[in-house]
Amino acid sequence: MTTDELAVASSQPFRVYLDSKDIIEVDRDRKITESLPEVFVNARATLVLSSTLIDELLEPLRRREGGSVTRLMNTLEATPHCWLRTVDLEQSELRSASEAVSAKCTLMRPVPFRSSYLETGFVDDKTRHHYLGKPLAAIVWDQVYGERNTVPTPNLADRFPEVVKADRQIIATLSENDYRRKLRQKFDQAMRSIVGDARSNQALLDFFWMHPDACPATRLNFEAYHTLVRDTQTSASVNDVNDLTRFMAVPYVDVFTADGAKWDLLRKLRTRPGLTEMEHWNRVKVFRSLHEVFVLLEEKTRRLADNLPTQGE
């Protein structure tokens, strides 16, 4: 890589999205905790955080002492980072794609990253104003402590196993051709629910189906769910909702970690007909462990050091 090529590459954010189990590993290993910010700085990498990730951390953090919560959140905040906003990512992708198709111009993907946890869309304006200027540790600790004193309301995650079970019962009665036709109908219905009936003409729906890179996070979320439903050997759990939401980050990051079952699901998506040519598969690295990420970042640091011009050049 030439100096000019390195300058261009290093100017682009190198985003790393870790699974919650890897973040917990950071907290458990004091050496990793202390080195994480420096490793990311030296590799010119950015740690991707999200409301989904924080939500997954709450239960493990709830079982720990307050100092652990504070230490971990302070470490994450000290590491070069950004926040992924998924709450309206599907709407943003489909709106951008619809406008590009209508204007017959180049598609511009949305940028789903924000600088603060408060900008991820999962807190209301009053709450956001209350926490402005406060460290991440204080915000998360309030969440952990506050949830101890409230009864959680039912949500999609609670009903997810039953939803999957019902869909599995339906597809068990379908032939392969009927299933494929039903899948396309489900896709069209999902797209209409996001962009609205008034803008959902069949030509646009066909475009979305034939060009998965036009709305990659939306498509991965849809395909991941239906691939999971079809895998009757895998039991659905309440944790799957957050995992499927995390998959929406894959087209927008450079490194993504997942555990065994979700790593295998990503492998199936990568080889699924119609999805294999999606642009991000040639770029994003999917790892199973934090160790693999550290090896990559250390190698990236060495490459940067070897290619930088020496002093006085």
Side-chain angles (χ1 to χ4, degrees):
M1 180 180 288
T2 67
T3 300
D4 288 342
E5 289 172 333
L6 180 68
V8 171
S10 62
S11 67
Q12 303 298 318
F14 187 82
R15 298 186 176 100
V16 179
Y17 194 11
L18 300 176
D19 187 81
S20 58
K21 68 178 177 58
D22 298 309
I23 300 295
I24 293 297
E25 185 176 342
V26 169
D27 184 53
R28 287 173 175 162
D29 190 319
R30 183 61 63 89
K31 184 178 179 180
I32 296 177
T33 302
E34 294 173 350
S35 65
L36 190 73
E38 183 180 5
V39 168
F40 272 75
V41 168
N42 291 342
R44 300 180 188 176
T46 299
L47 178 66
V48 175
L49 304 174
S50 68
S51 293
T52 298
L53 183 63
I54 295 300
D55 185 58
E56 289 181 332
L57 289 170
L58 286 182
E59 184 58 35
L61 290 177
R62 194 180 285 112
R63 297 193 295 266
R64 296 171 179 268
E65 294 298 326
S68 294
V69 176
T70 299
R71 183 177 64 246
L72 176 57
M73 293 302 117
N74 286 345
T75 297
L76 298 180
E77 200 160 34
T79 304
H81 67 279
C82 64
W83 289 88
L84 176 68
R85 180 183 172 107
T86 56
V87 65
D88 53 5
L89 179 52
E90 291 175 315
Q91 291 90 335
S92 297
E93 281 191 340
L94 293 172
R95 182 173 60 251
S96 295
S98 300
E99 291 172 354
V101 171
S102 177
K104 298 181 180 180
C105 62
T106 303
L107 173 66
M108 298 294 292
R109 284 187 190 170
V111 179
F113 298 103
R114 303 292 185 269
S115 61
S116 169
Y117 176 47
L118 302 177
E119 301 301 324
T120 56
F122 287 91
V123 294
D124 57 37
D125 288 340
K126 182 179 179 180
T127 304
R128 185 172 62 84
H129 180 75
H130 173 73
Y131 284 121
L132 283 176
K134 292 187 178 182
L136 179 62
I139 300 172
V140 173
W141 181 243
D142 273 3
Q143 284 186 270
V144 175
Y145 180 78
E147 287 191 4
R148 285 175 173 168
N149 299 290
T150 60
V151 178
T153 57
N155 54 35
L156 174 60
D158 297 325
R159 297 183 290 106
F160 189 76
E162 287 73 24
V163 172
V164 171
K165 180 180 179 180
D167 279 350
R168 284 176 174 171
Q169 290 174 341
I170 292 173
I171 67 173
T173 66
L174 302 176
S175 67
E176 184 64 24
N177 287 338
D178 286 340
Y179 170 76
R180 292 181 181 278
R181 184 168 57 254
K182 192 72 173 179
L183 185 68
R184 176 59 198 273
Q185 291 173 353
K186 288 282 188 181
F187 178 82
D188 288 354
Q189 291 169 2
M191 298 306 101
R192 286 195 187 98
S193 70
I194 297 172
V195 301
D197 290 336
R199 302 174 62 184
S200 304
N201 61 74
Q202 193 58 48
L204 182 62
L205 297 175
D206 290 344
F207 177 83
F208 290 153
W209 180 258
M210 297 299 296
H211 299 85
D213 271 326
C215 44
T218 305
R219 187 61 174 271
L220 278 188
N221 191 35
F222 174 85
E223 297 282 357
Y225 171 75
H226 287 283
T227 301
L228 176 66
V229 167
R230 242 195 156 182
D231 182 9
T232 57
Q233 301 303 309
T234 300
S235 299
S237 76
V238 295
N239 296 324
D240 289 330
V241 173
N242 275 349
D243 288 327
L244 297 183
T245 300
R246 284 190 71 245
F247 280 9
M248 296 174 69
V250 172
Y252 293 93
V253 301
D254 300 284
V255 176
F256 187 92
T257 64
D259 62 16
K262 296 307 177 287
W263 184 92
D264 187 58
L265 179 52
L266 278 172
R267 179 189 60 78
K268 291 177 181 177
L269 292 172
R270 185 170 189 165
T271 58
R272 190 180 182 91
L275 304 184
T276 56
E277 301 303 319
M278 293 182 76
E279 173 272 333
H280 58 265
W281 297 129
N282 296 320
R283 174 180 46 78
V284 66
K285 300 183 186 310
V286 181
F287 292 139
R288 301 189 192 209
S289 71
L290 182 63
H291 171 73
E292 292 176 288
V293 176
F294 267 66
V295 170
L296 176 69
L297 294 181
E298 289 166 0
E299 175 60 25
K300 188 172 184 294
T301 298
R302 284 193 292 270
R303 290 177 56 215
L304 285 167
D306 290 342
N307 285 278
L308 283 173
T310 58
Q311 188 174 5
E313 283 190 345

